[in-house]
Amino acid sequence: MSKTTITFWSGLQTIGGNIAEIRYGNARVIFDFGLVYNPSTSFVHKATGRSDRYVLDLLKIGAIPAIDGIYAREDLKDNVFNFKKPIAYEDFKMNTGIFISHLHLDHMGVIDTVASTIPIYMSNGSKQLYQVLNKINEGLMRERDVTGINYQDSIKIGDIIVTPFQTDHDIYGSMAMLISTPDLKVVYSGDIRMHGQHPEYNKAWLEKLLDINIDLLLMEGTAFHPNLTEKTKIPLVETETEIAQVIKREIINHNRLVLFNIYHRNIDRLNNFIKTGKQCERTIVLELKTAYIADQFAEVTDFAIFVPNDSKESDWNQNILEKYPRVTIEQINATPNKYLLQNSFDNIADLLDLDVSGSIYLHSNGMPLGEFDPNYQILLSFLKQFQIEYKSFNVSGHATQEDILQLIEDIKPKLLVPWHSHYPELMKPLDPNQAVFLPRKNKKYFFDNGQLIEV
Ligand SMILES: [Zn+2]
Ligand SMILES: [Zn+2]
């Protein structure tokens, strides 16, 4: 029987919001600390005048788990009604480290609720992106320091050793991790895909794991769905490299303004749009925030910045406004066929000022992501109103079912725990002898003879 225990706090039957805790002695490692998409949570995020009650509000609506010893006493002050609160950090001494696999909100959206003295680790690439997002006012509700770590450099929390590995996912800086205690070896895949721009990252860490006997594999299962046609209702482009060719075809065949909507934390996608725009001899025009990100991370910085009439200079954007050419609404309207213009959902009203007759809107994993988001219908009706042709070109950030099953086969853990999936029970390993376990939320388990046993 292992002295190590593991608790799954969230993310077992949802896509995202994964939070698990591994304890050994007086040390523990918690990995990922994000939000499950939920409109009531975004309401709390935006509720004004309640910033001093931020942590309590999220606890009350169940958006963050009631884990003892991670929230500051100050944040748990509440006299309103009798609500069972977790023990405050100051009253529960335990050596704790939190590790973040990547910067999607479903994996890190609530790290700002954690007591400021608990270290939060992420890859150096993630930290760099995190700082840039703070700069462009796209950070979390509260300021929170994080610690950057090198891939493959181990971090020790008491007797627990965490080793991060670079992975390929649709965001900059993602990692998987090996968590080793004196009696248990756990691999957490993070979010991962094999059809991205960098399959070699995944091959490299898989190779590192070959000589290690893994007890437990926590594997993401986004792609597992009983109804594949349902899942693929929105046409998917198969690989990240293919997207460049597909959008190139669209742009070349169009003689009016081309609009696009991407998620700018996906640097590979940003690169693909910038390069393709250039190949099609269009000026690629980025929104200010994306331009700031591109300035820091993009391979090619041959772009202009969109400056709508009401835009103001502020501290963070002054430098890039001086560094790159600016394009105005009037310039675009004079020759719309010369531009490839970014338009994210937040700036959809800009279309009211543009000559969008005969335009096409390339939606490529930008927000709103799909029908589950109420903003999706707003987007479609807006485009319909102006007869802008909508085309969706998504590339999944998540491995296909086949690729996930092959990964499990390669890692060969003693026990597989599928999560980050609406249908974890559908993850059926290729090897019929591969043990699989679906744990229960908020229960503490120890590992014994290849099984997780509830304490
Ligand atoms: Zn995720
Ligand atoms: Zn992700």
Side-chain angles (χ1 to χ4, degrees):
M1 186 191 303
S2 69
K3 277 195 197 163
T4 309
T5 60
I6 178 162
T7 308
F8 297 88
W9 290 102
S10 174
L12 289 172
Q13 280 170 341
T14 48
I15 292 187
N18 304 49
I19 304 176
E21 175 184 348
I22 290 180
R23 278 198 199 192
Y24 186 87
N26 199 41
R28 66 176 166 179
V29 160
I30 295 172
F31 39 94
D32 279 354
F33 214 75
L35 276 169
V36 179
Y37 177 81
N38 174 345
S40 66
T41 313
S42 34
F43 172 76
V44 169
H45 263 178
K46 285 177 194 144
T48 48
R50 294 184 68 89
S51 56
D52 59 327
R53 311 183 55 75
Y54 174 59
V55 173
L56 269 177
D57 282 355
L58 288 173
L59 275 168
K60 284 178 184 174
I61 63 165
I64 51 175
I67 305 177
D68 290 332
I70 63 165
Y71 306 113
R73 195 188 288 148
E74 177 69 19
D75 286 329
L76 297 175
K77 270 199 295 192
D78 181 33
N79 302 313
V80 182
F81 73 103
N82 192 10
F83 163 71
K84 197 183 172 301
K85 289 177 278 192
I87 303 168
Y89 165 74
E90 292 85 346
D91 304 322
F92 189 90
K93 288 281 179 262
M94 185 166 239
N95 185 1
T96 303
I98 295 184
F99 290 78
I100 300 300
S101 65
H102 64 289
L103 293 194
H104 280 145
L105 290 175
D106 60 325
H107 294 261
M108 57 70 78
V110 278
I111 57 173
D112 57 347
T113 61
V114 173
S116 59
T117 29
I118 295 178
I120 294 181
Y121 299 96
M122 56 179 65
S123 74
N124 284 320
S126 286
K127 182 180 175 177
Q128 198 190 350
L129 181 57
Y130 179 80
Q131 287 170 330
V132 165
L133 293 171
N134 284 337
K135 196 102 180 174
I136 62 174
N137 302 320
E138 220 177 85
L140 302 175
M141 283 284 282
R142 313 202 295 190
E143 275 182 29
R144 181 57 163 92
D145 277 343
V146 299
T147 306
I149 51 179
N150 291 323
Y151 293 121
Q152 295 185 48
D153 277 2
S154 297
I155 300 290
K156 260 191 115 181
I157 309 289
D159 287 330
I160 311 175
I161 299 165
V162 180
T163 312
F165 297 103
Q166 185 169 27
T167 54
D168 189 23
H169 181 39
D170 58 347
I171 192 164
Y172 189 74
S174 64
M175 68 186 204
M177 42 197 121
L178 169 67
I179 302 133
S180 308
T181 74
D183 60 14
L184 194 72
K185 287 195 167 39
V186 181
V187 168
Y188 167 41
S189 67
D191 285 357
I192 187 173
R193 60 174 174 177
M194 306 305 278
H195 56 267
Q197 208 108 357
H198 303 284
E200 72 279 8
Y201 296 167
N202 299 329
K203 284 183 191 130
W205 70 267
L206 279 171
E207 229 152 77
K208 290 258 162 16
L209 293 183
L210 282 182
D211 301 332
I212 306 172
N213 284 323
I214 303 301
D215 296 304
L216 202 56
L217 170 63
L218 312 184
M219 177 58 90
E220 74 119 317
T222 314
F224 288 83
H225 198 286
N227 185 348
L228 274 179
T229 49
E230 181 68 24
K231 201 180 113 270
T232 51
K233 226 194 253 172
I234 298 169
L236 284 178
V237 181
E238 301 255 312
T239 66
E240 190 68 50
T241 24
E242 203 187 317
I243 196 102
Q245 297 148 22
V246 175
I247 57 175
K248 189 175 176 183
R249 262 201 313 271
E250 290 296 333
I251 299 168
I252 283 175
N253 288 327
H254 235 81
N255 59 0
R256 299 295 296 172
L257 178 62
V258 178
L259 302 156
F260 71 97
N261 177 3
I262 57 170
Y263 189 57
H264 58 199
R265 298 183 194 191
N266 181 349
I267 306 300
D268 289 336
R269 188 70 49 85
L270 185 55
N271 280 327
N272 278 329
F273 269 86
I274 296 175
K275 288 180 196 164
T276 309
K278 203 172 144 68
Q279 285 165 17
C280 298
E281 290 171 6
R282 288 202 180 220
T283 304
I284 176 141
V285 190
L286 300 178
E287 293 171 353
L288 258 175
K289 288 183 175 185
T290 306
Y292 191 95
I293 291 180
D295 178 60
Q296 303 277 319
F297 298 99
E299 286 165 13
V300 180
T301 51
D302 201 349
F303 58 82
I305 299 177
F306 183 54
V307 188
N309 296 331
D310 59 349
S311 53
K312 295 181 192 74
E313 286 190 17
S314 62
D315 293 350
W316 68 265
N317 66 33
Q318 228 168 27
N319 281 347
I320 56 158
L321 279 171
E322 280 161 21
K323 190 167 166 186
Y324 295 95
R326 306 184 201 186
V327 171
T328 61
I329 287 171
E330 289 74 17
Q331 284 170 297
I332 295 174
N333 286 345
T335 49
N337 59 340
K338 295 264 179 282
Y339 296 96
L340 175 60
L341 174 67
Q342 182 191 14
N343 182 258
S344 56
F345 184 75
D346 286 343
N347 297 322
I348 196 164
D350 288 341
L351 303 186
L352 297 171
D353 299 324
L354 289 160
D355 178 0
V356 289
S357 54
S359 282
I360 185 168
Y361 183 97
L362 308 178
H363 193 190
S364 190
N365 296 89
M367 306 272 222
L369 290 177
E371 277 171 7
F372 63 90
D373 186 336
N375 286 336
Y376 189 69
Q377 288 312 323
I378 300 175
L379 170 70
L380 294 188
S381 75
F382 202 98
L383 298 177
K384 197 172 165 202
Q385 173 76 21
F386 293 95
Q387 293 171 342
I388 299 169
E389 191 184 349
Y390 171 83
K391 288 207 169 181
S392 174
F393 297 105
N394 293 331
V395 181
S396 176
H398 303 277
T400 61
Q401 297 188 8
E402 294 71 25
D403 285 343
I404 291 287
L405 297 181
Q406 190 55 51
L407 279 165
I408 297 164
E409 190 62 20
D410 293 342
I411 298 172
K412 281 205 181 301
K414 287 194 186 116
L415 187 64
L416 167 72
V417 170
W419 69 342
H420 195 285
S421 175
H422 291 309
Y423 303 93
E425 69 281 3
L426 295 182
M427 198 185 282
K428 302 242 184 288
L430 299 172
D431 176 357
N433 296 319
Q434 171 66 58
V436 188
F437 184 66
L438 300 174
R440 296 200 298 158
K441 198 174 157 176
N442 301 349
K443 300 289 176 205
K444 192 191 274 186
Y445 295 91
F446 59 84
F447 192 78
D448 187 28
N449 204 13
Q451 291 181 3
L452 283 177
I453 312 286
E454 209 172 302
V455 176

